[in-house]
Amino acid sequence: MNASIESETPPPGSRRPGGRTARTRAAVRGAVLTGLAEHGYPALTVEYVAEHSGVHKTTLYRRWGSLEGLLADALMLAGEDSWTPPDTGSLEGDLRALAREVVDSFSDPAASAAPTAFVGAAFQSERAAEALRAFYSERFTRCEAVVERALARGEAPEGTDAGAVVRATSAPLFLRLFVTREPVDTALADQSARAAAAAVAAGAFVTPPAPAAAGPGKA
């Protein structure tokens, strides 16, 4: 899964001629990402974003409201790309490719600095936390296609919770990246994919049926 927050994501409207608003938004987002990568969330300020984007501080406050608003909009733009999950022809192959994308996204210190800082910001700002949840929720929703294809191929039992499968695949990686601060590598990505695929085959992610409502006079 492409978990990184790429600074080159085309902003909405950038393909329209005279997209001044889009260019401004892209410049501001670029300054936010640069500031996060270089200094982290605690040291990022609206003044920094104004200086590095060329957009006046008054305009930033008027359009984005606060530093948290700038963070939220940067994440919103990150979720507006055209990324699609891999299609290798098998569930385990797709899950392996997704897990390896997570590892690749966070293996390069320069590339991972901004997304890592976004995660840190989410622990200090509820607005940033909401934006990060929305970003990953949208990413996970796109990734559910790999499980839907597996269902069509008969690799997964009916009722398999696609979102749970995708989250289970990446969870061991994010645990090491952001909780235990251990290194991640391709071997761990492959292990996570194998474990998730085996759990799918065993029916571990099948959503149990809702209990029947008790009839009149029944407890």
Side-chain angles (χ1 to χ4, degrees):
M1 172 179 40
N2 186 345
S4 65
I5 298 165
E6 303 290 346
S7 59
E8 66 270 18
T9 301
S14 61
R15 295 181 178 85
R16 294 196 304 268
R20 181 178 178 183
T21 297
R23 290 194 298 271
T24 297
R25 193 180 179 204
V28 169
R29 178 174 179 264
V32 170
L33 292 175
T34 300
L36 285 173
E38 292 182 352
H39 307 293
Y41 175 71
L44 183 65
T45 63
V46 174
E47 287 76 13
Y48 176 97
V49 176
E51 178 182 352
H52 288 77
S53 67
V55 179
H56 197 277
K57 183 171 67 172
T58 302
T59 301
L60 295 178
Y61 278 115
R62 183 176 69 249
R63 291 185 56 183
W64 283 273
S66 64
L67 180 61
E68 285 75 15
L70 290 166
L71 287 170
D73 193 56
L75 274 169
M76 185 181 300
L77 271 174
E80 293 176 356
D81 62 9
S82 59
W83 179 84
T84 56
D87 186 358
T88 66
S90 73
L91 175 61
E92 185 173 337
D94 289 350
L95 295 179
R96 184 186 305 115
L98 288 172
R100 287 186 178 190
E101 283 195 26
V102 174
V103 171
D104 291 344
S105 296
F106 289 97
S107 293
D108 180 0
S112 66
T116 299
F118 266 113
V119 174
F123 284 94
Q124 302 174 66
S125 163
E126 182 56 34
R127 180 78 181 275
E130 291 173 357
L132 193 66
R133 281 195 295 271
F135 171 80
Y136 274 109
S137 177
E138 195 275 340
R139 270 295 191 268
F140 287 136
T141 297
R142 293 193 208 183
C143 292
E144 290 179 9
V146 305
V147 181
E148 293 165 0
R149 292 195 295 260
L151 283 164
R153 290 190 297 260
E155 293 181 282
E158 290 298 324
T160 296
D161 185 333
V165 174
V166 173
R167 285 170 171 80
T169 303
S170 57
L173 304 173
F174 286 122
L175 172 71
R176 291 198 180 202
L177 285 166
F178 298 113
V179 179
T180 63
R181 304 296 293 169
E182 298 174 84
V184 296
D185 55 22
T186 298
L188 179 65
D190 293 352
Q191 181 188 71
S192 297
R194 285 196 305 272
V200 169
F205 293 105
V206 173
T207 303
K218 296 182 180 179

